Amino acid sequence: MRSGDVASERTDDPAGGGRRLKRTQGLVEEVFGVIRADIMALRIPPDTRISIEDLVRELGVSQTPIREALSMLEAVGLVTKRHFVGYCSAPQLNRQQLDHLYEVRLLMEPFAARCAAERMSPEALAAAEALADSMEPAATRASYDRFADQDAELHDRIAEGSGNPLIRGSLARLHSHLHIFRLRFHTVVATEALNEHARLLKALRDRDAVGAEGAMREHIERSYARLLPAAQD
Ligand SMILES: [Zn+2]
């Protein structure tokens, strides 16, 4: 889901901590967004029980949209459902899961960038550049969550630009940004990524297929190296 799809409808309620939600058509999506942000920012720590009763009280909505939102979060791998316990936030990626994720990214994303250099429309390229230009180094956990969303969208736009919907779909199903940005909060991660994105976008703009492939490979390899210290064996 792209950020900005869900309008914030939180009411100002000092007594309730400002988190009570109005009923809207997109209620489930909104509840999803609130819980997702809590998991991403580690306000709900990894591997921790999520109480539906507490969320009912805190958000001021019934169990139904909360259960639906939790099963959506289960589908993207941020939440697990356990017998006799209920819903829990997923554990952080371990070393092996991180390795598997990056093996797949390294197989597909440089190739996608190579294709995108040749096939991406000027309009799609301009939109990707505007997105990359709007990204700023993250100084806080909250801005890091936004950075994660923007990074996910940028990579998705390049995957779309490959012209191969199977590649785009396969990458989307990894939900890699949700998992890797939860693993490590570090401003260096964002600052270095911005420089790598700039190289990648320049190659795309120059329609340099080999350069785009190499820039994406380097971006992913360096991203892996940045995250490795945070992954537990
Ligand atoms: Zn990136």
Side-chain angles (χ1 to χ4, degrees), residues 34-50:
V34 169
I35 305 172
R36 195 199 93 143
D38 282 349
I39 294 174
M40 292 294 287
L42 308 185
R43 285 190 291 272
I44 300 172
D47 220 2
T48 301
R49 182 172 174 267
I50 298 173

Side-chain angles (χ1 to χ4, degrees), residues 105 109 135 147 151-152 154-155 177 181 193-194 196-197 200 216 219-220 223 226:
R105 291 192 73 187
E109 292 200 55
M135 292 173 72
F147 189 88
D151 192 47
L154 180 63
H155 284 258
H177 292 78
F181 279 88
L194 290 182
E196 293 156 21
H197 287 168
L200 172 61
M216 182 66 97
H219 176 41
I220 292 172
S223 165
R226 287 191 288 266

Side-chain angles (χ1 to χ4, degrees), residues 2-232:
R2 283 182 181 168
S3 60
D5 283 354
V6 179
S8 175
E9 290 285 344
R10 293 191 199 183
T11 57
D12 256 348
D13 175 10
R19 288 168 57 89
R20 294 182 70 83
L21 301 176
K22 284 184 205 162
R23 286 200 169 276
T24 64
Q25 272 195 322
L27 186 60
V28 172
E29 287 77 10
E30 210 175 339
V31 172
F32 172 91
V34 169
I35 305 172
R36 195 199 93 143
D38 282 349
I39 294 174
M40 292 294 287
L42 308 185
R43 285 190 291 272
I44 300 172
D47 220 2
T48 301
R49 182 172 174 267
I50 298 173
S51 159
I52 291 176
E53 299 73 36
D54 286 355
L55 286 168
V56 165
R57 235 183 343 267
E58 191 188 351
L59 302 178
V61 299
S62 71
Q63 286 203 2
T64 309
I66 292 172
R67 287 186 182 281
E68 278 181 50
L70 286 168
S71 60
M72 283 164 65
L73 287 157
E74 189 182 13
V76 300
L78 282 182
V79 154
T80 57
K81 197 175 183 185
R82 297 200 197 139
H83 274 304
F84 309 115
V85 178
Y87 287 104
C88 297
S89 56
Q92 300 274 44
L93 289 188
N94 62 31
R95 169 68 191 271
Q96 191 181 44
Q97 290 170 314
L98 185 75
D99 286 355
H100 289 164
L101 184 62
Y102 272 80
E103 280 174 9
V104 177
R105 291 192 73 187
L106 266 179
L107 268 176
M108 287 198 283
E109 292 200 55
F111 178 73
R114 181 192 187 98
C115 297
E118 291 165 342
R119 301 174 187 164
M120 210 168 177
S121 73
E123 296 75 26
L125 182 56
E129 283 193 278
L131 174 63
D133 287 345
S134 74
M135 292 173 72
E136 289 173 4
T140 63
R141 262 280 174 195
S143 59
Y144 200 60
D145 188 26
R146 177 171 156 74
F147 189 88
D149 267 348
Q150 291 175 313
D151 192 47
E153 184 173 341
L154 180 63
H155 284 258
D156 179 58
R157 282 176 186 261
I158 293 167
E160 185 180 21
S162 77
N164 184 331
L166 298 180
I167 288 180
R168 185 189 183 195
S170 303
L171 286 168
R173 271 189 295 280
L174 296 176
H175 302 291
S176 50
H177 292 78
L178 289 182
H179 298 294
I180 62 179
F181 279 88
R182 200 162 67 112
L183 196 56
R184 187 164 186 220
F185 169 62
H186 206 301
T187 50
V188 171
V189 171
T191 309
E192 290 187 1
L194 290 182
N195 296 331
E196 293 156 21
H197 287 168
R199 271 198 58 213
L200 172 61
L201 282 152
K202 182 181 184 310
L204 290 174
R205 196 165 52 239
D206 294 345
R207 302 292 177 185
D208 173 4
V210 174
E213 181 174 15
M216 182 66 97
R217 175 169 295 111
E218 190 188 350
H219 176 41
I220 292 172
E221 283 173 346
R222 294 189 61 175
S223 165
Y224 174 74
R226 287 191 288 266
L227 291 168
L228 199 52
Q232 303 193 336

